[in-house]
Amino acid sequence: MEYTRLGRSGLSVSRLVLGTMNFGSRTSEEDSHAIMDRAHEHGLNFFDTADAYGAQQGEGVTEQIIGRWFAKGGGRRDRTVLATKVYQPMGNWPNEQFLSALHIRRACEASLRRLRTDHIDLYQMHHIDRSTPWEEIWEAFSVLRRQGKVLYFGSSNFAGWHIAQAQEAARSRHFLGLVSEQSIYNLMSRWAELEVLPAARHYGLGVIPWSPLHGGVLSGVLRKQREGVAARSGSGLWAAALAEHRDSVEAYEKLCADIGEDPAHVGLAWLLAQDGVTGPIVGPRTIEQLDGSLRALTITLDDGTLATLDALFPPPGPNGARPAPEAYAW
């Protein structure tokens, strides 16, 4: 396993992140525990979850599954860099969502109980809260830090401007601020390159891409359809992206076949090659899928292949392949 520092922090994390969104919904608890054990066998130490994950609102099913896995002992918790999130609705009453100091406090305590641990390594805001001032958010987070309940803080689904706001507000309090941003980022969704990635690099945040295969479209979906083994139905993100970019996806799968690599592994390898990316989130439903994803760590894409991928899935902006502000001007 390869490791890197999470942004400008001293925290060492694996270059693949184990995503747990499927745990409790598409993957049984028994299989979820087996996947986490296998992740440790492979050296994956960075696990990502959220209080809202799981089939039932407000119950934190996925966190409970992870907590019962930790309770088995054997050094499971000590070997894990644990990341969870706060923001999403956990009930129908006021103050059971967003980022008020009250909800942050209650949500953190609830996550700690479900996860059966005394601290969260990385506590991430699941979304920007446009109604709560940064003074309130950072005050609430600083209390958790002083109490030893949270060590580091991160964001998710933030724009570059939001990252700047957060970091400048933290700077005014002499607080470390954010160490990571979790953003949708893959070959088919490269908008993060305009301003999110430049902002993250400027402020020293590690970038953790979610949906690295764009809902499975970059996993060899056309081949799987021909073979009758496609895992998902033609709906939502999967169907819309395929309908719009079918020619590019077909050419992408041909390119992967020409270099002798699985499309899913090439998609992950491309992300691993991007400046500022800590590691993409892989969300396996089975141990076999987890095992397979490690191939991405051994793939080195040459300049010709990278150029072809840029041609198939061009960078965004009128002057593509440039970050802001050059993307908008000269």
Side-chain angles (χ1 to χ4, degrees):
M1 179 54 58
E2 299 177 12
Y3 299 91
T4 188
R5 297 292 176 89
L6 182 59
R8 69 193 185 285
S9 78
L11 187 65
S12 294
V13 295
S14 51
R15 294 221 65 201
L16 289 180
V17 185
L18 180 66
T20 63
M21 182 182 285
N22 288 321
F23 295 179
S25 55
R26 306 181 69 191
T27 304
S28 69
E29 179 161 340
E30 180 181 2
D31 289 344
S32 299
H33 286 193
I35 288 171
M36 289 186 282
D37 282 333
R38 181 62 65 89
H40 273 183
E41 291 175 14
H42 286 308
L44 269 77
N45 74 333
F46 197 7
F47 291 12
D48 177 75
T49 191
D51 57 0
Y53 289 172
Q56 295 81 32
Q57 183 189 54
E59 294 187 14
V61 171
T62 303
E63 286 188 333
Q64 291 184 46
I65 290 172
I66 296 171
R68 288 189 284 270
W69 181 73
F70 284 150
K72 292 181 177 181
R76 286 175 170 83
R77 177 65 185 96
D78 292 340
R79 294 200 301 269
T80 302
V81 175
L82 174 63
T84 192
K85 308 183 192 75
V86 56
Y87 176 90
Q88 299 287 11
M90 295 300 289
N92 297 319
W93 281 78
N95 300 311
E96 291 188 308
Q97 60 184 329
F98 307 136
L99 297 175
S100 69
L102 179 59
H103 181 60
I104 287 173
R105 175 185 174 183
R106 289 175 173 172
C108 182
E109 295 287 355
S111 286
L112 290 171
R113 287 193 298 270
R114 288 189 292 263
L115 290 164
R116 302 193 187 191
T117 186
D118 62 354
H119 75 281
I120 294 163
D121 297 307
L122 177 65
Y123 204 33
Q124 303 162 108
M125 292 169 277
H126 214 151
H127 200 280
I128 187 72
D129 185 339
R130 298 180 178 87
S131 300
T132 304
W134 278 110
E135 292 83 359
E136 179 178 351
I137 294 170
W138 283 129
E139 173 64 21
F141 283 161
S142 66
V143 170
L144 297 178
R145 183 80 183 278
R146 288 195 300 271
Q147 292 174 336
K149 295 175 181 176
V150 176
L151 299 182
Y152 300 95
F153 296 93
S155 58
S156 182
N157 305 304
F158 275 32
W161 168 241
H162 297 141
I163 292 172
Q165 281 185 312
Q167 293 304 82
E168 294 304 323
R171 188 200 305 272
S172 70
R173 301 179 61 88
H174 305 287
F175 198 64
L176 179 63
L178 303 172
V179 299
S180 64
E181 157 62 17
Q182 189 177 132
S183 179
I184 184 170
Y185 184 36
N186 56 60
L187 275 166
M188 297 185 69
S189 181
R190 298 181 62 170
W191 292 102
E193 293 175 4
L194 282 175
E195 298 196 25
V196 174
L197 266 67
R201 287 192 290 264
H202 176 78
Y203 284 107
L205 277 63
V207 175
I208 307 168
W210 61 267
S211 194
L213 301 178
H214 207 65
V217 181
L218 295 169
S219 67
V221 66
L222 294 178
R223 184 199 69 210
K224 292 176 182 178
Q225 283 184 333
R226 291 193 297 269
E227 296 172 354
V229 294
R232 302 187 181 194
S233 61
S235 61
L237 174 68
W238 188 91
L242 186 56
E244 183 178 357
H245 302 285
R246 189 179 187 91
D247 290 345
S248 296
V249 173
E250 189 168 1
Y252 170 71
E253 293 192 16
K254 183 180 184 304
L255 170 66
C256 295
D258 289 344
I259 64 175
E261 297 290 352
D262 188 279
H265 304 158
V266 172
L268 294 175
W270 179 83
L271 282 170
L272 289 166
Q274 304 309 303
D275 183 26
V277 169
T278 298
I281 296 175
V282 294
R285 298 187 307 276
T286 66
I287 285 180
E288 291 73 22
Q289 289 180 346
L290 174 63
D291 291 344
S293 67
L294 269 70
R295 171 61 185 161
L297 295 169
T298 67
I299 297 174
T300 300
L301 302 175
D302 60 33
D303 291 343
T305 301
L306 291 171
T308 302
L309 291 172
D310 279 341
L312 291 176
F313 305 104
N319 296 303
R322 297 183 180 184
E326 288 80 7
Y328 306 110
W330 56 87

